[in-house]
Amino acid sequence: MTAHETAIELKGITKTFGAVVANDNIDLDVKKGEILALLGENGSGKTTLMNMLSGIYRPDSGSIYIDGAEAVINSPKDAAKLGIGMIHQHFKLVEALTARDNVVMGTKTDRRLNKKALSAKIQKISVRFGLSVDPDKMICDMSVGEKQTVEILKVLYRGARILILDEPTAVLTPQETERLFAILRKMKEDGCAVIIITHKLNEVLEISDRVTILRRGRSIETVHTAEVDAYRLTELMVGHAVDLSIERPVTEKVQGLLKVQHLTVANSEGYNALEDVSFDLAGGEILGVAGVANSGQRELCETIAGLMKTKDGAIYYRNENIVGKSPADIIKAGISMSFIPEDRLGMGLVASMGMADNMLLKSYKQGKGPFLDKKPSRELAKALIGKLDISTPGINTPVRMLSGGNVQKVLLGREIESNPSLLITAYPVRGLDINSSFTIYNLLNEQKKKGVAVLFIGEDLDVLLELCDRIMVLCHGRVTGIVEAQKVTKNDLGLLMAGETLNEREEDA
């Protein structure tokens, strides 16, 4: 058995959902000892294709071959028997259990082994693939990177030789990403086949051997990574050349628009999600916020927007303390603030309503009389479709039927049209393809040029460094640094995200 034998071969795979063709006659192969990147815009069919490999969906037509033999995969259990393991972006771990308990959960025989025997078995796999896992550590006490390592260990423990990872670095620090890539390279050396789905082109170029590009459900081309660059990959994804540079316009700053002082906020469990957070934000400035998942980003946004109560501290908008004010109070006070939450269809929009009615949500309370005038909201919806190139069958089509990129355009377009002086946006390009992402960046820069103060919660450090003027880093709810974006590196941000200050690093050096 050589490292060049084919581990997976898909032939003519087609999958439809009603009238929508998610995958159209796709051919794909992955060799043993190879890392294949799967690229494509939102809605191109990447996750659907991998869900058929992992047993979540079944193809309408076509064949799947594993190790050269045709396979029928009707369930995740079938996939596991064939040595296929998929690690989803949102981990499937039980927080109240240890790493060891999570690893053996669902196995029939190994649960009967004692802790010592189980730990020895886990340790053997860990050494083989370069994993660093404490079997006795509780999942709730782990960092995001450690949790991901446990997920990888889970599938390897079950004998997986084919590993599928969906957006695996979305919430990792650069240092955690490096450790993950070291693990994947170790798996590659051991003869495993690895498929990675990601939107981050720099990571595709760094880790993969080949890249398969999907566009509108079809396989466009498979290329050797060493023979392409980011511009070529983007062109294959979207069908035309794309400028990958992010503008950072120089503007005249209006100081004193937002000032946060010694802000402490408790989460629903009573623990401090934010502790003694202080910063300021000027008009005509984009302040980025970086941090690993659950570092207080959501609580920061929602507290400023009046959705969460504070334990201590003050939030000044043009010298007026808005702590204690509800969103309605903030509007009544004449404060023009827009908040684009992380949960687009939960908090931002009503999924069952169309664009026109979602436009109305922002302004219906301002109407006079018992009847709503829907004409302005319909006109605004039509204008945004043209301005932002929103793909929708019509302004009354439920927004839940739209792709993630189009949903985000609807939400951002509505908030911007209210002419805010402060714009708070949480992960606005998460899961979006390159075209949609650059539309969002351009919209934010337009607001910056108008003198709007923009608070940008992001996870892609390359984007934060290019788009933002300054970057504030949170770690466990505390500010570890506020830095000039043009004067720091990704590695610097990673250290701050891990709780180390840059001054400490310089002293150690």
Side-chain angles (χ1 to χ4, degrees):
M1 187 177 292
T2 68
H4 297 290
E5 288 184 33
T6 301
I8 307 165
E9 189 173 8
L10 306 181
K11 292 183 178 180
I13 297 293
T14 297
K15 180 66 180 176
T16 60
F17 297 96
V20 177
V21 181
N23 294 138
D24 187 3
N25 197 35
I26 288 180
D27 294 337
L28 177 144
D29 68 272
V30 190
K31 299 176 176 62
K32 294 184 175 75
E34 178 182 49
I35 299 175
L36 178 81
L38 200 56
L39 272 183
E41 294 184 278
N42 297 116
S44 62
K46 305 183 299 296
T47 303
T48 299
L49 189 64
M50 291 302 101
N51 280 340
M52 283 185 280
L53 260 182
S54 62
I56 296 173
Y57 296 148
R58 289 186 62 184
D60 296 330
S61 61
S63 303
I64 299 173
Y65 295 85
I66 305 296
D67 294 334
E70 187 167 2
V72 177
I73 305 174
N74 292 323
S75 67
K77 188 178 287 187
D78 290 343
K81 288 178 181 176
L82 291 165
I84 301 169
M86 184 165 178
I87 297 172
H88 300 271
Q89 188 173 342
H90 303 290
F91 304 142
K92 300 180 185 299
L93 300 170
V94 180
E95 295 276 327
L97 297 180
T98 65
R100 177 179 49 248
D101 292 335
N102 272 275
V103 167
V104 301
M105 189 182 298
T107 59
K108 290 183 178 179
T109 54
D110 287 2
R111 284 181 299 175
R112 301 190 184 97
L113 297 175
N114 60 41
K115 287 185 178 181
K116 187 176 180 181
L118 283 173
S119 295
K121 194 170 179 180
I122 289 171
Q123 179 64 15
K124 185 177 179 181
I125 298 170
S126 298
V127 170
R128 180 177 173 184
F129 292 102
L131 306 174
S132 179
V133 176
D134 178 358
D136 294 306
K137 192 170 183 178
M138 301 291 287
I139 298 297
C140 60
D141 295 328
M142 291 185 172
S143 69
V144 178
E146 288 176 309
K147 290 177 182 179
Q148 189 174 63
T149 304
V150 174
E151 285 281 21
I152 293 172
L153 183 55
K154 267 175 61 179
V155 298
L156 292 176
Y157 188 88
R158 288 158 174 74
R161 302 293 294 165
I162 297 167
L163 188 67
I164 304 165
L165 300 102
D166 191 0
E167 298 287 350
T169 66
V171 291
L172 300 185
T173 68
Q175 289 81 3
E176 288 171 328
T177 297
E178 286 178 17
R179 286 194 286 273
L180 171 65
F181 285 0
I183 292 168
L184 297 184
R185 290 186 183 105
K186 196 87 169 175
M187 294 179 67
K188 171 185 166 179
E189 289 172 11
D190 200 72
C192 293
V194 179
I195 303 175
I196 180 170
I197 303 172
T198 179
H199 284 107
K200 299 180 181 180
L201 297 181
N202 58 327
E203 294 179 356
V204 170
L205 294 168
E206 179 183 347
I207 191 64
S208 67
D209 298 296
R210 291 188 302 148
V211 187
T212 293
I213 297 97
L214 302 186
R215 191 195 311 154
R216 296 174 184 172
R218 294 186 174 186
S219 178
I220 298 302
E221 194 170 337
T222 296
V223 295
H224 289 278
T225 309
E227 298 172 359
V228 293
D229 57 16
Y231 293 95
R232 177 59 180 152
L233 290 176
T234 305
E235 188 176 354
L236 288 169
M237 278 171 54
V238 302
H240 57 80
V242 175
D243 182 2
L244 296 177
S245 60
I246 300 175
E247 185 187 3
R248 179 165 42 210
V250 176
T251 61
E252 191 170 329
K253 306 292 187 290
V254 181
Q255 300 299 330
L257 195 140
L258 181 73
K259 187 178 285 290
V260 174
Q261 293 185 335
H262 307 295
L263 186 67
T264 299
V265 177
N267 60 21
S268 58
E269 297 174 354
Y271 299 107
N272 284 349
L274 294 172
E275 196 162 346
D276 196 28
V277 170
S278 297
F279 68 94
D280 60 85
L281 174 58
E285 176 186 33
I286 299 180
L287 174 67
V289 180
V292 297
N294 302 316
S295 290
Q297 300 96 319
R298 180 179 62 83
E299 290 82 1
L300 178 64
C301 293
E302 293 185 10
T303 303
I304 296 173
L307 296 169
M308 289 190 74
K309 293 181 179 179
T310 63
K311 279 178 68 175
D312 197 12
I315 302 169
Y316 292 100
Y317 178 90
R318 298 190 191 278
N319 298 319
E320 179 181 357
N321 190 355
I322 61 174
V323 163
K325 292 186 184 293
S326 68
D329 294 334
I330 290 172
I331 293 170
K332 285 178 185 175
I335 297 169
S336 53
M337 180 192 303
S338 283
F339 173 37
I340 300 158
E342 179 180 356
D343 186 0
R344 298 163 191 167
L345 291 177
M347 290 180 66
L349 300 168
V350 177
S352 60
M353 290 181 1
M355 273 188 70
D357 287 341
N358 271 289
M359 295 299 117
L360 198 61
L361 291 177
K362 190 76 175 178
S363 59
Y364 75 95
K365 288 186 178 179
Q366 299 168 12
K368 297 177 182 178
F371 300 106
L372 290 174
D373 181 6
K374 290 190 174 185
K375 185 178 179 182
S377 66
R378 286 197 294 264
E379 290 176 351
L380 175 56
K382 290 175 183 176
L384 288 178
I385 288 173
K387 181 179 178 181
L388 303 183
D389 191 26
I390 297 170
S391 179
T392 175
I395 61 173
N396 296 315
T397 300
V399 292
R400 69 168 183 269
M401 305 297 289
L402 308 185
S403 71
N406 287 304
V407 167
Q408 187 69 325
K409 289 177 188 178
V410 171
L411 180 53
L412 192 58
R414 184 191 72 190
E415 294 302 312
I416 284 174
E417 287 300 317
S418 66
N419 294 317
S421 55
L422 171 62
L423 178 62
I424 304 166
T425 178
Y427 308 107
V429 298
R430 175 180 279 172
L432 302 192
D433 57 57
I434 286 176
N435 262 351
S436 297
S437 296
F438 274 79
T439 298
I440 304 299
Y441 304 147
N442 291 337
L443 285 171
L444 295 177
N445 274 325
E446 284 177 18
Q447 295 304 297
K448 175 184 173 180
K449 291 173 185 175
K450 291 178 181 178
V452 175
V454 180
L455 187 66
F456 178 92
I457 316 295
E459 57 196 1
D460 189 323
L461 299 187
D462 290 301
V463 171
L464 285 166
L465 288 167
E466 286 188 66
L467 178 70
C468 302
D469 299 289
R470 293 182 299 143
I471 301 170
M472 176 172 71
V473 183
L474 293 175
C475 178
H476 301 304
R478 288 181 170 271
V479 176
T480 52
I482 300 176
V483 294
E484 297 285 337
Q486 290 176 292
K487 296 180 180 178
V488 291
T489 65
K490 258 203 320 186
N491 196 56
D492 292 333
L493 294 180
L495 291 168
L496 291 169
M497 288 165 69
E500 183 179 339
T501 68
L502 299 184
N503 288 336
E504 286 175 355
R505 184 199 61 173
E506 289 164 3
E507 288 168 8
D508 291 342

